Amino acid sequence: MHLKVSFAGFAMHLSPRRREVIFRQIDSLLDEDEWDSAARIPNQDAFRTALRLILLLASARYPSLAFDQDGHPVLSWVGDNCKLHLYALPRDMVRIVFERHRVDGVERGIVSLPLERVPDRLQGLDLAAATT
Amino acid sequence: MAQKPLREEHHVVRDVPYSRQLRDPETDEFQGILPDVFVPRPVDSDGLSTAWLECCTEAHTGSEFESARATFIAANRKVGGKAVIAKIQVGRINEAAAQSGRRLRVVSAPLPGYSCHASIRRLPTELDELHQALVSAVEILTP
């Protein structure tokens, strides 16, 4: 419920379609029958980071939304040769996790950084296209 | 209870709840699992909890998915209707560990009322590239 309240504060900045998609994702994820009883409840502060991230990136492709076992939201974009995950953490921190298949092998990486530096770092890692 | 290393050709399984799956945001189609599915929590001092698949299929009838699911439920684990099961061969775990310069132990670790319990020991508790490699090596079992 707290997540929906947080989301309502951001919703006005989103298109109706995007608003509907995110709202439906939250609903499905919080379904009591599906929620992992061993996982921590969603972290409110980290969820606000995720919402700021959505606004900051304004990605053309909608991300998949999930939660790690510590209750941190994870935005993911899955492509044929690349998986990009942005772990939203409390206090506007983000962990970029990626895996891409290249001709010469698989490249994986993990980078933690403040939210406002994510767009530049995605460009630098040549990952910005994964969200478009 | 006695613990023994699992053979390279055997498998361990872990249930992955809906909240830790990658789903198409518009169609809800399954696309994979989060890269942190093999990260133990700091409180998991005995390693990452899994089930030994060959034990599950011996104890329960049906498909590998059904046997594993029945094992988890018998051990009082909640398995949601949209949960999938990640299956990984012990040899692939050891291979991924070796590539990242680590040595893991995959052992049968029976618990009271949960004889097929197994554990992956010495996994790092912070997400790193080894966890990503393990997720890349899994086969997903679905109903």
Side-chain angles (χ1 to χ4, degrees):
Chain A
M1 192 61 194
H2 291 300
L3 299 190
K4 288 184 179 174
V5 173
S6 292
F7 180 61
F10 282 81
M12 69 184 90
H13 303 292
L14 301 169
S15 70
R17 177 69 185 137
R18 183 160 294 217
R19 204 181 303 160
E20 182 197 325
V21 167
I22 296 173
F23 204 79
R24 202 177 52 230
Q25 286 178 295
I26 296 171
D27 251 354
S28 300
L29 287 164
L30 299 185
D31 181 347
E32 205 177 318
D33 293 335
E34 298 292 341
W35 186 257
D36 177 13
S37 49
R40 294 202 180 133
I41 58 166
N43 183 295
Q44 187 82 359
D45 188 6
F47 187 68
R48 281 192 288 268
T49 304
L51 293 172
R52 289 189 193 106
L53 199 49
I54 288 169
L55 292 181
L56 184 67
L57 293 175
S59 61
R61 280 178 63 207
Y62 298 163
S64 167
L65 178 63
F67 284 95
D68 73 6
Q69 62 186 347
D70 293 320
H72 301 137
V74 188
L75 308 177
S76 301
W77 290 264
V78 180
D80 289 338
N81 297 310
C82 180
K83 283 183 185 169
L84 170 65
H85 312 276
L86 302 180
Y87 283 70
L89 306 173
R91 295 183 294 280
D92 281 346
M93 290 296 292
V94 175
R95 185 183 298 136
I96 300 174
V97 180
F98 67 92
E99 174 180 292
R100 61 185 154 197
H101 294 258
R102 299 190 169 218
V103 180
D104 54 350
V106 182
E107 183 187 17
R108 299 187 176 100
I110 301 174
V111 184
S112 293
L113 72 176
L115 168 75
E116 65 273 14
R117 287 173 46 203
V118 170
D120 283 348
R121 186 55 76 91
L122 290 179
Q123 290 282 358
L125 290 167
D126 200 18
L127 286 167
T131 67
T132 58
Chain B
M1 289 192 190
Q3 302 193 348
K4 59 175 183 184
L6 293 184
R7 286 159 47 180
E8 294 259 313
E9 66 271 27
H10 280 205
H11 303 81
V12 290
V13 286
R14 189 163 165 75
D15 61 304
V16 184
Y18 182 80
S19 60
R20 298 180 74 189
Q21 297 173 16
L22 309 176
R23 294 271 182 165
D24 184 290
E26 303 204 64
T27 64
D28 203 38
E29 183 192 349
F30 176 81
Q31 294 181 316
I33 58 178
L34 285 181
D36 61 74
V37 162
F38 287 95
V39 178
R41 299 175 78 154
V43 292
D44 296 330
S45 57
D46 203 29
L48 184 80
S49 179
T50 61
W52 177 13
L53 179 62
E54 284 71 15
C55 173
C56 303
T57 52
E58 209 173 286
H60 299 275
T61 54
S63 66
E64 289 184 337
F65 177 88
E66 288 162 351
S67 304
R69 186 170 187 275
T71 302
F72 293 131
I73 290 171
N76 288 324
R77 274 196 67 90
K78 177 180 159 188
V79 183
K82 292 181 182 170
V84 298
I85 288 173
K87 166 189 171 184
I88 185 166
Q89 193 179 44
V90 174
R92 299 292 300 272
I93 296 174
N94 293 335
E95 196 180 297
Q99 280 171 4
S100 68
R102 289 194 173 87
R103 266 179 75 92
L104 302 179
R105 288 191 75 223
V106 187
V107 296
S108 156
L111 297 172
Y114 188 2
S115 59
C116 294
H117 184 252
S119 179
I120 307 176
R121 304 261 167 84
R122 302 177 185 159
L123 272 167
T125 54
E126 285 287 322
L127 177 62
D128 78 7
E129 292 177 28
L130 170 57
H131 302 106
Q132 290 182 272
L134 292 177
V135 164
S136 289
V138 300
E139 178 189 339
I140 297 294
L141 304 179
T142 55

